[in-house]
């Protein structure tokens, strides 16, 4: 059969900001995904922690289908019923009193950072309270403001001139908090688990110190829960396990289970500093996206969903330790809930992409988190048998990876 499109078309048609692997997923059901060749995989990645309830979840399909027959778009000169229900749900479930809806994580952070600057200019007019403090290795998105705030130079190099008055401090460093945040600081933004750069959880003492220092200096505390939100870590948001409440929280990835939607959650005091016309988004809070997100929250909120995250997390961690006992390739296995990282030992440094490729060949999707860390972000509701099948594929991929690696580094041996 003649194929209409294939992987090679990517290189001809798409701006080369990604380098997708050879296989093209065409269908998903739960945590199974099939590629264009008809081969089946177990999805332990979920996009990047996006499809928290797996693929084609029947309740989500029904919610989207129903709304698609009612109304798709009304714009922001009207409000719509799904978005109001969603706002009510988020407010009832969290610290928040005001919500602003967007389409992505970067856009949620962009709104949070703009709101912080606006809040400062309204509540401390004429002062120089404009500094944004962020952390080394953090990731907050790809708009010009969010790459500037993010703690990885490679994402902002070559895009200057950049927005100013942004400072980066070392992550999890208590000593840096006291001096690094002062009366000039407008807001501090932090991931509770640094996702993209290696699945590094923030220490509780560190997050507590940030809250205290923000209180002392009158700075806003922003939690970027774009990746950790919507049940991923075993509670609706990770801040609930830290017992520390932010002034602003951003979320996106799993909120629509793959249907694009993000949100910025905040208090009345802060949120009311945006007034009509100061910010906006054509598609933010679109009825289709909001209908899906309503159903996502309803499912994640069921006690069995969060209990299931804890159980499945333990299964994953145990499997990784078992694999490591056999093959000795990880120096650390860490994470929260179903956001799990396994850091490669020094001799395998820089090899996480190779490992992910080997696991594809063995029949599962995993992720890298930087060059040295393998990341798992399976569905929160993955069937236990399917999870075990996926972890067996992971083990087979590790075996293949390790033996290839040793053949390449010892070519004279018996490979
Ligand atoms: C993915 C991610 C973002 C960016 O989200 P987009 O939807 O790609 O714009 C921001 N912050 C964190 C912590 C993320 O993991």
């Amino acid at each position: 059969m003649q194929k209409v499109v294939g992987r090679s078309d990517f290189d001809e048609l798409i701006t080369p900001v990604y380098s997708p692997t050879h296989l093209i997923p065409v269908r998903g059901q739960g945590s199974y995904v099939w590629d264009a060749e008809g081969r089946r995989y177990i999805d332990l990645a979920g996009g990047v922690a996006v499809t928290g309830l797996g693929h084609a979840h029947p309740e989500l399909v029904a919610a989207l289908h129903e709304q698609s027959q009612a109304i798709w778009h009304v714009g922001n000169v009207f409000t719509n019923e799904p978005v109001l229900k969603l706002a009510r749900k988020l407010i009832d479930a969290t610290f928040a009193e005001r919500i602003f809806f967007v389409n992505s994580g970067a856009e949620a952070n962009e709104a949070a950072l703009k709101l912080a600057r606006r809040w400062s200019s309204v509540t401390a007019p004429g002062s120089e309270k404009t500094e944004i403090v962020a952390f080394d290795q953090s990731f907050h998105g790809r708009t010009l403001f969010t790459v500037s705030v993010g703690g990885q130079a490679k994402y902002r190099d070559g895009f200057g001139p950049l927005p100013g008055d942004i400072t980066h401090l070392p992550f999890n460093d208590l000593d840096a908090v006291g001096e690094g945040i002062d009366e000039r600081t407008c807001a501090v933004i932090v991931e509770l688990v640094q996702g993209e750069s290696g699945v590094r959880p923030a220490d509780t003492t560190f997050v507590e110190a940030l809250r205290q220092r923000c209180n002392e200096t009158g700075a806003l505390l922003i939690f970027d829960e774009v990746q950790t939100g919507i049940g991923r870590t075993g509670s609706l948001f990770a801040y609930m396990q830290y017992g520390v409440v932010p002034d602003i929280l951003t979320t996106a990835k799993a909120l629509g289970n793959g249907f694009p939607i993000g949100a910025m959650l905040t208090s009345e005091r802060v949120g009311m500093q945006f007034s009509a016309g100061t910010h906006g988004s054509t598609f933010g809070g679109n009825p289709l996206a909001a209908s899906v997100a309503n159903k996502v929250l309803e499912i994640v909120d069921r006690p069995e969903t969060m209990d299931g995250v804890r159980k499945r997390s333990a299964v994953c961690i145990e499997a990784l330790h078992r694999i490591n006992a056999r093959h000795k390739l990880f120096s650390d296995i860490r994470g929260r809930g179903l956001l799990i990282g396994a850091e490669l030992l020094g001799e395998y440094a820089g090899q996480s992409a190779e490992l992910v490729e080997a696991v594809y060949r063995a029949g599962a999707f995993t992720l890298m988190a930087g060059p040295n860390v393998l990341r798992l972000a399976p569905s929160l509701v993955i069937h236990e048998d399917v999870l075990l099948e996926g972890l067996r594929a992971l083990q087979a991929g590790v075996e293949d990876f390790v033996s290839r690696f040793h053949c390449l580094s010892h070519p004279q041996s018996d490979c």
Side-chain angles (χ1 to χ4, degrees):
M1 197 176 73
Q2 182 78 37
K3 272 219 230 102
V4 185
V5 289
R7 170 62 183 82
S8 59
D9 293 315
F10 179 95
D11 299 328
E12 240 175 83
L13 302 175
I14 310 289
T15 53
V17 297
Y18 310 113
S19 55
T21 192
H22 62 284
L23 70 95
I24 300 186
V26 295
R27 188 165 75 84
Q29 185 67 58
S31 288
Y32 286 126
V33 172
W34 288 264
D35 72 7
E37 313 288 322
R39 183 162 183 224
R40 194 179 78 176
Y41 299 83
I42 291 130
D43 187 0
L44 303 179
V48 177
V50 167
T51 54
L53 300 173
H55 300 278
H57 190 295
E59 291 180 75
L60 299 181
V61 171
L64 181 58
H65 184 71
E66 191 183 324
Q67 185 59 42
S68 76
Q69 294 183 315
I71 196 162
W72 284 27
H73 184 79
V74 298
N76 290 307
V77 298
F78 304 98
T79 188
N80 68 74
E81 291 180 351
V83 84
L84 295 173
K85 287 182 195 154
L86 180 60
R88 174 72 66 202
K89 271 206 181 80
L90 285 167
I91 286 169
D92 285 349
T94 67
F95 75 98
E97 296 160 327
R98 294 275 163 176
I99 318 280
F100 176 70
F101 288 101
V102 294
N103 310 284
S104 68
E107 209 189 337
N109 285 329
E110 186 79 21
L113 295 164
K114 280 183 69 181
L115 176 60
R117 286 268 177 87
R118 167 68 50 154
W119 170 82
S120 232
S121 80
V122 173
T123 60
S127 75
E128 292 183 343
K129 199 172 177 58
T130 51
E131 182 196 39
I132 306 286
V133 170
F135 295 92
D136 294 339
Q137 303 308 317
S138 62
F139 183 79
H140 299 298
R142 303 294 199 138
T143 63
L144 197 57
F145 203 169
T146 56
V147 287
S148 305
V149 168
Q152 299 182 65
K154 65 178 182 200
Y155 293 137
R156 57 177 180 267
D157 286 349
F159 293 112
L162 303 171
D165 210 5
I166 297 163
T167 307
H168 295 98
L169 302 180
F171 183 64
N172 270 341
D173 184 340
L174 281 174
D175 294 336
V177 171
E179 271 193 22
I181 300 167
D182 62 22
E183 269 61 33
R184 278 227 328 103
T185 308
C186 158
V188 175
I189 182 166
V190 67
E191 291 164 271
L192 293 177
V193 180
Q194 286 193 335
E196 296 308 304
S197 68
V199 193
R200 279 175 239 282
D203 298 334
T204 303
T205 49
F206 176 67
V207 178
E208 287 169 350
L210 291 180
R211 178 71 274 177
Q212 192 190 337
R213 191 65 188 143
C214 284
N215 291 349
E216 287 163 8
T217 59
L220 298 177
L221 182 58
I222 305 170
F223 289 164
D224 178 345
E225 292 227 36
V226 169
Q227 189 157 160
T228 52
I230 321 300
R232 175 59 47 195
T233 67
S235 51
L236 181 59
F237 291 103
Y239 85 85
M240 295 165 172
Q241 294 171 57
Y242 282 86
V244 177
V245 173
D247 300 291
I248 302 175
L249 180 150
T250 56
T251 194
K253 285 191 167 82
L255 181 56
N257 203 65
F259 202 102
I261 182 168
M264 178 193 71
L265 287 64
T266 187
S267 62
E268 178 83 6
R269 172 181 80 100
V270 176
M272 291 305 282
Q273 303 310 329
F274 267 167
S275 52
T278 49
H279 195 55
S281 169
T282 293
F283 294 124
N286 168 284
L288 294 169
S291 294
V292 176
N294 266 307
K295 188 54 81 175
V296 167
L297 287 182
E298 186 191 315
I299 298 169
V300 169
D301 192 42
R302 293 174 190 155
E304 66 266 27
T305 310
M306 284 304 98
D307 288 347
V309 170
R310 287 182 275 276
K311 281 185 204 133
R312 290 168 178 82
S313 176
V315 170
C316 291
I317 298 276
E318 198 198 300
L320 285 167
H321 279 292
R322 212 170 339 103
I323 290 169
N324 203 31
R326 201 131 150 216
H327 297 288
K328 301 218 179 343
L329 80 165
F330 302 129
S331 58
D332 190 26
I333 293 164
R334 59 180 176 245
R336 291 274 187 280
L338 283 171
L339 182 56
I340 297 168
E343 179 147 5
L344 292 167
L345 278 169
E347 64 175 302
Y348 298 107
Q351 295 291 311
S352 63
E354 302 301 322
L355 177 53
V356 167
E357 280 292 330
V359 181
Y360 287 142
R361 290 193 296 272
F365 295 174
T366 58
L367 293 164
M368 50 190 285
N372 305 322
V373 177
L374 175 77
R375 171 172 40 170
L376 304 184
S379 158
L380 313 184
V381 295
I382 185 171
H383 197 289
E384 186 146 352
D385 295 340
V386 180
L387 179 57
L388 292 174
E389 195 183 345
L391 292 168
R392 279 196 297 276
L394 171 59
Q395 160 142 1
V398 165
E399 268 162 32
D400 177 39
F401 163 78
V402 169
S403 68
R404 275 168 198 261
F405 183 83
H406 287 288
C407 283
L408 286 174
S409 49
H410 306 95
Q412 67 279 43
S413 68
D414 186 22
C415 291

